[in-house]
Amino acid sequence: RMVEDQSIQHLISWAPSGDVFSVSNPTEFSKSVLPQYFKHNNWQSFVRQLNMYGFHKVNDMFHANPSSESQAWEFKHPDFRRGQLLALQNIKRKSSKP
């Protein structure tokens, strides 16, 4: 729902391909969006949770200015695609068991 929310498209949105979503300004996103959907406003916690559910960061920060707060972060999961709600049931938290 968060990625589909038209009122926050300037902060989180689908890539044109529909298989990647991006957060354009993590600092502003953390302050104004995270508290609406989670019990925190911590960007690193959000990223950690995405990783626990199998999402991967896809954009290359190597060429970016690491201090840039406006650097977009892009994430991808094979079962997280625009308009494919049935695939969401395949997104599960990674088990800590070997």
Side-chain angles (χ1 to χ4, degrees), residues 42-90:
N42 186 310
W43 172 251
Q44 291 303 324
S45 293
F46 176 68
V47 172
R48 202 173 311 116
Q49 279 208 295
L50 287 173
N51 291 333
M52 279 195 298
Y53 283 87
F55 284 81
H56 300 285
K57 189 168 182 299
V58 295
N59 57 330
D60 179 12
M61 294 285 282
F62 182 75
H63 298 291
N65 176 355
S67 65
S68 172
E69 291 185 350
S70 61
Q71 171 64 41
W73 287 52
E74 297 174 335
F75 298 94
K76 184 174 193 169
H77 187 288
D79 292 308
F80 192 70
R81 300 179 66 89
R82 180 177 45 221
Q84 295 186 9
L85 297 177
L86 285 177
L88 294 178
Q89 64 191 351
N90 299 325

Side-chain angles (χ1 to χ4, degrees), residues 24-42:
S24 62
N25 183 332
T27 303
E28 182 59 32
F29 177 83
S30 298
K31 282 192 259 181
S32 60
V33 177
L34 284 181
Q36 294 177 43
Y37 292 90
F38 301 96
K39 294 177 182 173
H40 65 80
N41 65 351
N42 186 310

